[in-house]
Amino acid sequence: MGASAYESERAEERREERKTVRQVGDLVDRGLADRSEREVLERVAERFSVAITPDLVDLVTPGDPADPIGLQFLPSKRELRILPEERVDPIGDDPHTPVKGITHRYPDRLLLKPVHVCPAYCRFCFRREKVGPGSEVLSSDELAAALAYVRRHEQVWEVILSGGDPLILPPRKLAEITRAIAAIDHVKVLRVHTRVPVMDPGRITAELVEALRGRTTAWIVLHTNHPRELSPRAREAIARLVDAGIPLLSQTVLLRGVNDDAKTLEALFRELVVLRVKPYYLHHGDLAVGTGHFRTSIEDGQAIARTLRRELSGIAQPTYVLDIPGGYGKVPIGPSYLGPEGEDGRRVVEDPAGREHVYPPRGGDGR
């Protein structure tokens, strides 16, 4: 083989290596799945979409069953274990969908879901029955109808782009949507929920950033669950957004085996603040089908939240929340530090170190 032919072959091999992996057979060939489990994993992939981007593959330690990146994105036979309490629509999107592409659960804000595709698929996704290749993208008419719904409802102050991952859209299409939202006078805030900066950071281009900027104030909410997701490329993508004047929040899902210990979450939240991303939500795991192996108990989550309250700066504290099944919304479920009011009007309050105090204190200095 000549030198030029060899270089051409190697270049093709490198291109293949940088493709998103979507087939169980390819996962096996790359050492990302056990060959002996191929048949059962094919059954998992028949029901739940599989995709892992090259950037995520680079972060996985092959052969390590406890790898926190692999656990999030590589299919597992445990996904075929369906528990009675699990639901296809665990947070109740469907009852609050008046128009295709819209979920309107709260009076002043709603979700607009233009696409149900993601660069990679989380194994714990609460919309896992609805996302994946072949899932619907809103047609021009459907998007127009969704935007018309927003225009008719003047109480809507905030539009949240979700999906799927809206930042998988081409920048030109994304710009069309953001311009249309900016033209609605009563919408003052555009929020974008995404994992693209960690899943596929190369998508955060100058053109995409420009598509997000406009008359409407834009916020990005970055979903990230483990400090190892914050690769050098992810950090650069985050910086491109923040440097463009777009504020970032983060949301994290509490996942057994991935981040269900205070030290891991402390490291994640500290690093996010360094990157100018404010931790926003720590979600209790939803009752999505086939995800029971990821869920912790609420008591364990509260114990972790209590430790974080003791150890972390206030600006690094997310709110621990539960999305009530059936579409009833999110509520904070963190630990309580305040006891009931006594007959004397005083309460017992616990400080972050676990010590109890009476409030108001007895024998104060007041005159």
Side-chain angles (χ1 to χ4, degrees):
M1 180 185 295
S4 62
Y6 174 79
E7 287 301 322
S8 177
E9 184 176 293
R10 288 295 301 130
E12 180 61 28
E13 288 175 358
R14 285 192 293 270
R15 281 193 293 272
E16 286 297 315
E17 289 171 358
R18 298 307 296 173
K19 287 184 177 179
T20 294
V21 183
R22 302 181 184 278
Q23 304 298 324
V24 171
D26 292 334
L27 292 174
V28 171
D29 291 343
R30 293 185 179 218
L32 297 170
D34 192 324
R35 191 170 299 276
S36 67
E37 294 188 349
R38 178 167 179 169
E39 183 178 344
V40 68
L41 294 181
E42 294 281 11
R43 287 165 48 207
V44 173
E46 286 175 7
R47 179 160 188 183
F48 306 118
S49 296
V50 172
I52 180 168
T53 60
D55 285 276
L56 292 173
V57 169
D58 289 345
L59 300 178
V60 174
T61 304
D64 180 3
D67 182 82
I69 310 301
L71 286 171
Q72 291 185 71
F73 297 102
L74 299 176
S76 166
K77 61 185 178 183
R78 291 181 291 181
E79 295 174 53
L80 296 176
R81 180 171 177 258
I82 312 299
L83 300 178
E85 64 269 25
E86 293 178 338
R87 302 181 176 204
V88 171
D89 181 22
I91 68 168
D93 280 349
D94 290 346
H96 298 280
T97 302
V99 175
K100 189 172 182 180
I102 294 286
T103 299
H104 194 178
R105 183 179 289 111
Y106 305 100
D108 73 334
R109 57 205 182 276
L110 54 74
L111 298 181
L112 171 58
K113 296 175 284 186
V115 63
H116 277 88
V117 180
C118 299
Y121 294 105
C122 304
R123 309 320 304 165
F124 51 88
C125 177
F126 65 90
R127 293 195 181 111
R128 63 195 325 229
E129 299 273 19
K130 300 180 180 181
V131 299
S135 297
E136 294 180 340
V137 177
L138 292 186
S139 68
S140 296
D141 288 345
E142 289 165 344
L143 179 59
L147 291 168
Y149 179 90
V150 179
R151 291 188 193 97
R152 290 195 305 271
H153 290 77
E154 295 186 1
Q155 75 272 33
V156 174
W157 172 81
E158 178 184 29
V159 171
I160 303 164
L161 290 186
S162 186
D165 196 312
L167 295 193
I168 202 171
L169 291 168
R172 184 168 60 180
K173 182 64 177 177
L174 183 63
E176 290 176 9
I177 295 172
T178 59
R179 282 197 299 267
I181 293 169
I184 303 173
D185 287 340
H186 57 267
V187 176
K188 304 302 182 184
V189 175
L190 171 67
R191 193 194 324 172
V192 181
H193 287 184
T194 185
R195 291 209 81 181
V196 162
V198 295
M199 283 182 168
D200 197 3
R203 288 182 179 271
I204 307 299
T205 62
E207 187 181 6
L208 184 140
V209 171
E210 190 60 31
L212 292 169
R213 301 174 68 186
R215 185 177 63 82
T216 305
T217 299
W219 288 72
I220 298 285
V221 180
L222 172 66
H223 176 179
T224 182
N225 299 319
H226 195 276
R228 271 183 45 201
E229 295 173 34
L230 301 176
S231 67
R233 279 170 53 83
R235 291 165 185 264
E236 291 170 3
I238 291 168
R240 281 194 288 275
L241 292 163
V242 179
D243 288 346
I246 301 173
L248 266 70
L249 304 171
S250 73
Q251 56 183 342
T252 295
V253 181
L254 185 61
L255 299 168
R256 184 179 300 280
V258 173
N259 60 13
D260 60 328
D261 65 278
K263 287 296 183 186
T264 298
L265 290 176
E266 181 181 340
L268 173 63
F269 299 147
R270 286 188 189 279
E271 198 56 34
L272 285 167
V273 171
V274 169
L275 295 174
R276 297 172 289 173
V277 181
K278 168 69 178 80
Y280 172 42
Y281 276 150
L282 175 62
H283 294 271
H284 190 74
D286 294 313
L287 295 174
V289 172
T291 63
H293 54 290
F294 282 117
R295 284 192 298 278
T296 67
S297 69
I298 288 177
E299 290 76 15
D300 285 347
Q302 289 175 330
I304 291 169
R306 187 177 287 275
T307 300
L308 294 175
R309 174 61 57 184
R310 184 176 68 243
E311 301 294 336
L312 273 179
S313 164
I315 62 172
Q317 298 278 347
T319 301
Y320 181 37
V321 294
L322 172 70
D323 217 322
I324 302 171
Y328 300 103
K330 295 182 187 69
V331 291
I333 58 168
S336 175
Y337 295 87
L338 189 64
E341 184 175 317
E343 292 182 1
D344 61 355
R346 291 184 168 86
R347 300 172 185 265
V348 173
V349 61
E350 184 180 333
D351 68 26
R355 297 167 298 202
E356 293 186 344
H357 309 270
V358 173
Y359 182 84
R362 295 183 176 88
D365 295 329
R367 297 280 192 264

